[in-house]
Amino acid sequence: MALQLVIGNKNYSSWSMRPWVLMRQLGIPFEERKLRFDFTEGSDFRREVAAVSPAGLVPVLLDEGFVVWDTLAIAEYLAERFPAAGVWPADTRQRARARSLCAEMHGGFGALRQHCAMNIEAALPDVGERLWAGQPALRRNVARLESMWDEALQASGGPFLFGEFGAADAFYAPVCTRLISYALPVSDATRAYVRRVLAAPGVAAWIADALAEADYIADEEPYRTSR
């Protein structure tokens, strides 16, 4: 039986994007089950997610009835289930460093996530300019991103954070879309890395699907009233 990944809308769901692009990019076979975001009480989304996940959130990985419901846990599960796929770097220290970067994304960058919600289809440069001027915490988040990425790329030689595309790149793929959507000012090196991530086949496939959704969800859209 194939793995099944339960996700939300591709235009908005940054957490769903991470395991999806990782599996697609690394050639790990899976079946997609997409649920339209609707967080109202008793909605189909809440009911269907609750039926498979005790956390009631997406993404959820299902493997013959076994449920994994956290993005970091999904990455670790995939690494053990498919040890040759390249989820993590082969080198012990680089593997630890890649896990550190993923954990930092998982628990940090609050200003970036709060003010620059993922919206792949949108072009919001005016919003980005206003946020950049008025939110020092956002500027600090981006500075940390650039420093972290530069260090990893310098150490690995690229083209991705630890050489080949892996979990760390998948975890930061939604950030790459945010930098584009809000036109946040970054260095040439950062822009080049962002372009490489967005051009990776797994990421490009997700973006194409997101652009084709044609679904506007007001609760996910803080900066506009229609698509």
Side-chain angles (χ1 to χ4, degrees):
M1 183 183 296
L3 298 174
Q4 184 181 78
L5 187 67
V6 184
I7 62 172
N9 288 66
K10 289 183 177 177
N11 193 49
Y12 305 119
S13 186
S14 59
W15 292 109
S16 297
M17 183 181 185
R18 294 179 170 100
W20 194 101
V21 302
L22 180 64
M23 296 170 77
R24 181 68 173 265
Q25 182 71 19
L26 299 185
I28 297 172
F30 69 100
E31 171 190 318
E32 171 193 313
R33 180 181 172 196
K34 187 173 74 171
L35 306 176
R36 184 180 188 271
F37 275 153
D38 181 353
F39 295 101
T40 58
E41 194 66 34
S43 68
D44 289 344
F45 177 85
R46 283 188 177 275
R47 185 174 63 255
E48 292 188 45
V49 175
V52 295
S53 169
L57 300 170
V58 290
V60 182
L61 182 69
L62 304 173
D63 185 3
E64 297 184 352
F66 183 73
V67 180
V68 189
W69 63 86
D70 174 86
T71 50
L72 277 172
I74 290 172
E76 294 290 3
Y77 185 76
L78 293 172
E80 296 189 20
R81 184 85 155 69
F82 303 92
V87 173
W88 300 113
D91 178 78
T92 300
R93 291 187 174 183
Q94 291 307 299
R95 191 162 59 248
R97 183 60 53 82
R99 285 183 169 121
S100 296
L101 265 63
C102 289
E104 187 168 346
M105 180 67 258
H106 199 272
F109 300 99
L112 178 61
R113 298 213 304 246
Q114 176 187 351
H115 298 296
C116 300
M118 191 174 87
N119 193 332
I120 290 172
E121 181 271 338
L124 302 165
D126 293 342
V127 174
E129 184 177 11
R130 184 172 71 249
L131 290 169
W132 191 259
Q135 299 293 337
L138 173 62
R139 297 195 298 271
R140 288 193 295 271
N141 279 181
V142 174
R144 171 59 186 151
L145 277 173
E146 294 205 80
S147 173
M148 175 196 304
W149 289 354
D150 185 64
E151 180 182 354
L153 290 167
Q154 291 279 351
S156 71
F160 297 106
L161 293 175
F162 294 90
E164 299 298 320
F165 191 101
D169 305 287
F171 266 67
Y172 284 94
V175 173
C176 293
T177 73
R178 286 171 159 102
L179 295 178
I180 296 297
S181 295
Y182 296 89
L184 300 181
V186 293
S187 69
D188 289 344
T190 296
R191 278 193 293 271
Y193 171 68
V194 168
R195 286 195 298 269
R196 292 195 296 272
V197 170
L198 299 185
V203 180
W206 176 281
I207 291 172
D209 289 350
L211 295 176
E213 275 183 345
D215 190 10
Y216 173 79
I217 300 177
D219 288 347
E220 300 293 326
E221 293 269 7
Y223 299 120
R224 59 182 187 172
T225 58
S226 64
R227 180 168 179 170

